[in-house]
């Protein structure tokens, strides 16, 4: 396991590489070219500059999150072909710079969705929260306003105010989309892209849908063990793999995360992991909480033990954190709570591996 941190790049992230470098036990970052719109080819020079910047700070670029998939690919329009070709070229360019891992998602219109970006917790910190009642009552445009008004000037990915008009248009385009059609479009994408990933030696790692159920009537696919299995079989290649995001899959209590890790990990299909805790209050009502097991509904020891037992060697990152110690910034992506998370997860890992060595001696 390699402990990493998500970094949005110096123009888009208040957290600096220097700060990240000082988190104990971190070896690298997961980054992106945040300003390049989905569907465009990433220029080699830009990728190289990103990598150089990270390496001069004493860190490594362990992977890209995300190379976003253009909506036309998910919609399966005639334009899809062009965007798939661009995606392949981006992979080739990334490979030229030595990148070995790409995380992406296949969620229509929105990326991860929350109904409150700064819910106050008992200890006075604030966090990302989701309440299905809010989703049911409100149309997406209205929700944009409410959620974005309470987010310190940041917005959820995919929820940018300038996208409002586009979102209405997109929702219309998706009006006759079914799960089966979306599976078909995902399969088409993978059949084109995975052979290129193989040539380039880039592991592709799809991020689960977050939350793992349909939101605003849009179909969602990457939601359960059964669907993960269907996904890896669409193209049966080790390059067609998964990001296990414990907090995304874990808000559905039917998803047994340690079991999912053991199952897909032993098949060699987990390439990347986001490890965070969530507290499920009621079905489809949850808060993101501190990493330590006792704060949430997930057993972080069992999760890390499962990664250890399947000999997971890829990058892990703490995913989101709460806003603590008066920090302000991009919701979920402050420095402090994510750093605490990384250190806690490293602590669990050290204990698990030393216990294992002790037991093997006896
Ligand atoms: C949610 C987060 C997301 C995720 C992207 C991947 O759990 O990790 O920002 O990184 O959806 O494409
Ligand atoms: Mn995640």
């Amino acid at each position: 396991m390699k402990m990493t941190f998500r970094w949005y790049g110096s123009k888009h992230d208040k957290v600096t590489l220097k700060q990240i470098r000082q988190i104990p036990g971190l070896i690298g970052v997961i980054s992106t070219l945040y300003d390049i719109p989905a569907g465009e080819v990433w220029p080699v020079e830009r990728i190289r500059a990103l990598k150089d910047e990270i390496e001069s700070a004493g860190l490594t670029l362990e992977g890209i999150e995300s190379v976003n998939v253009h909506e036309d690919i998910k919609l399966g329009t005639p334009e899809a072909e062009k965007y798939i070709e661009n995606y392949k070229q981006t992979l080739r360019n990334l490979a030229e710079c030595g990148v070995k891992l790409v995380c992406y998602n296949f969620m229509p219109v929105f990326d991860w969705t929350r109904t409150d970006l700064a819910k106050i917790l008992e200890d006075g910190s604030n966090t990302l929260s989701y309440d299905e009642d809010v989703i049911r009552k409100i149309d997406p445009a209205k929700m944009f306003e409410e959620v974005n008004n309470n987010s310190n000037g940041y917005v959820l990915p995919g929820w940018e105010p300038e996208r409002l008009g586009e979102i209405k248009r997109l929702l219309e385009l998706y009006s006759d989309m079914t799960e089966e059609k979306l599976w078909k479009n995902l399969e088409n994408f993978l059949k084109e892209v995975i052979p290129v990933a193989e040539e380039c030696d880039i592991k592709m790692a799809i991020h689960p849908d977050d939350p793992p159920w349909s939101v605003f009537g849009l179909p969602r696919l990457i939601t359960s063990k059964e669907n993960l299995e269907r996904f890896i079989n669409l193209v049966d290649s080790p390059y067609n793999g998964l990001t296990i995001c414990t907090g995304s899959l874990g808000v559905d209590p039917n998803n047994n995360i340690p079991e999912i890790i053991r199952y897909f990990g032993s098949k060699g299909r987990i390439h990347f992991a986001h490890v965070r805790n969530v507290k499920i209050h009621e079905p489809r009502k949850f808060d993101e909480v501190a990493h330590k097991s006792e704060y949430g509904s997930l057993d972080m020891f069992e999760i890390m033990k499962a990664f250890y037992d399947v000999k997971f060697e890829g990058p892990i990152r703490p995913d989101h954190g709460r806003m603590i110690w008066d920090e302000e910034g991009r919701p979920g992506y402050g420095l402090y709570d994510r750093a605490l998370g990384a250190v806690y997860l490293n602590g669990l890992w050290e204990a698990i591996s030393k216990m294992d060595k002790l037991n093997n001696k006896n």
Side-chain angles (χ1 to χ4, degrees):
M1 177 278 277
K2 296 185 267 189
M3 188 55 69
T4 62
F5 214 66
R6 187 178 199 178
W7 184 63
Y8 283 90
S10 40
K11 281 209 190 80
H12 304 278
D13 207 324
K14 273 170 77 176
V15 180
T16 63
L17 289 172
K18 188 174 169 215
Q19 290 169 324
I20 297 174
R21 175 73 179 83
Q22 293 169 0
I23 303 170
L26 262 179
I27 61 124
V29 296
I30 301 291
S31 194
T32 187
L33 294 177
Y34 194 61
D35 56 308
I36 301 191
E40 281 183 23
V41 177
W42 291 24
V44 176
E45 318 75 64
R46 292 280 320 271
I47 305 165
R48 195 159 284 141
L50 177 73
K51 195 173 177 226
D52 288 348
E53 190 183 1
I54 291 165
E55 288 176 356
S56 9
L59 293 157
T60 52
L61 174 60
E62 288 298 326
I64 298 294
E65 177 178 351
S66 306
V67 179
N68 285 320
V69 177
H70 194 276
E71 293 299 332
D72 282 56
I73 299 178
K74 298 177 221 168
L75 282 161
T77 69
E79 298 288 286
E81 205 180 312
K82 169 179 102 199
Y83 292 118
I84 290 178
E85 285 313 311
N86 287 356
Y87 205 99
K88 291 183 194 167
Q89 191 53 44
T90 294
L91 291 185
R92 292 189 192 104
N93 294 356
L94 287 167
E96 206 176 310
C97 302
V99 171
K100 299 272 177 236
L101 169 77
V102 166
C103 171
Y104 66 103
N105 70 75
F106 213 78
M107 289 176 252
V109 192
F110 312 111
D111 197 315
W112 49 303
T113 304
R114 297 291 180 273
T115 54
D116 190 343
L117 299 186
K119 178 173 169 188
I120 311 288
L121 294 173
E122 229 174 51
D123 62 5
S125 62
N126 69 74
T127 197
L128 297 153
S129 169
Y130 181 91
D131 182 347
E132 186 89 350
D133 288 344
V134 177
I135 302 265
R136 260 188 230 117
K137 273 187 226 136
I138 221 169
D139 76 273
K142 189 90 194 84
M143 199 174 115
F144 274 104
E145 271 168 45
E146 293 201 3
V147 170
N148 289 345
N149 279 343
N150 181 21
S151 63
N152 312 322
Y154 286 88
V155 296
L156 277 171
W159 291 68
E160 296 75 11
E162 62 275 15
R163 259 193 102 206
L164 244 179
E166 197 203 16
I167 277 152
K168 287 185 187 146
R169 183 184 65 87
L170 279 172
L171 286 171
E172 273 164 32
L173 290 175
Y174 276 101
S175 60
D176 64 347
M177 180 59 73
T178 61
E179 266 185 35
E180 284 313 309
K181 280 191 203 164
L182 194 60
W183 275 114
K184 194 73 213 145
N185 296 341
L186 176 55
E187 185 177 353
N188 289 342
F189 171 71
L190 294 173
K191 288 213 156 119
E192 290 289 324
V193 162
I194 297 299
V196 177
E198 283 172 353
E199 275 164 37
C200 292
D201 191 25
I202 291 182
K203 299 257 166 65
M204 297 296 291
I206 197 167
H207 189 280
D209 297 351
D210 183 356
W213 52 71
S214 159
V215 176
F216 298 125
L218 294 162
R220 292 200 146 179
L221 308 179
I222 313 301
T223 54
S224 61
K225 184 180 175 194
E226 195 189 351
N227 285 14
L228 292 173
E229 174 82 0
R230 178 166 175 185
F231 169 81
I232 61 165
N233 289 327
L234 289 176
V235 172
D236 192 13
S237 156
Y239 287 85
N240 181 31
L242 309 169
T243 297
I244 292 296
C245 177
T246 62
S248 299
L249 290 167
V251 293
D252 181 345
N254 297 317
N255 288 332
N256 178 334
I257 307 296
E259 188 207 316
I260 288 177
I261 295 166
R262 287 174 197 283
Y263 182 77
F264 294 102
S266 57
K267 288 177 183 278
R269 298 297 273 273
I270 303 177
H271 301 321
F272 183 29
H274 293 174
V275 184
R276 63 179 160 91
N277 205 350
V278 281
K279 175 80 187 166
I280 309 170
H281 296 292
E282 286 169 32
R284 303 197 170 188
K285 200 180 259 195
F286 63 85
D287 293 335
E288 298 193 7
V289 291
H291 283 71
K292 202 162 184 288
S293 304
E294 69 196 72
Y295 292 100
S297 306
L298 303 181
D299 186 328
M300 306 312 268
F301 168 80
E302 289 297 344
I303 284 172
M304 293 306 276
K305 177 95 172 42
F307 278 118
Y308 181 86
D309 288 343
V310 298
K311 302 189 170 52
F312 180 67
E313 285 179 348
I316 287 187
R317 69 173 185 82
D319 214 0
H320 312 148
R322 301 161 301 145
M323 283 299 172
I324 62 172
W325 304 336
D326 299 323
E327 188 177 19
E328 283 178 8
R330 186 189 297 280
Y333 286 98
L335 170 65
Y336 305 137
D337 200 37
R338 286 192 299 151
L340 293 177
V343 173
Y344 167 67
L345 298 174
N346 268 334
L348 284 176
W349 190 269
E350 180 178 344
I352 292 164
S353 54
K354 287 197 172 154
M355 281 302 285
D356 183 41
K357 285 185 190 105
L358 258 179
N359 289 339
N360 282 335
K361 252 194 224 158
N362 298 332

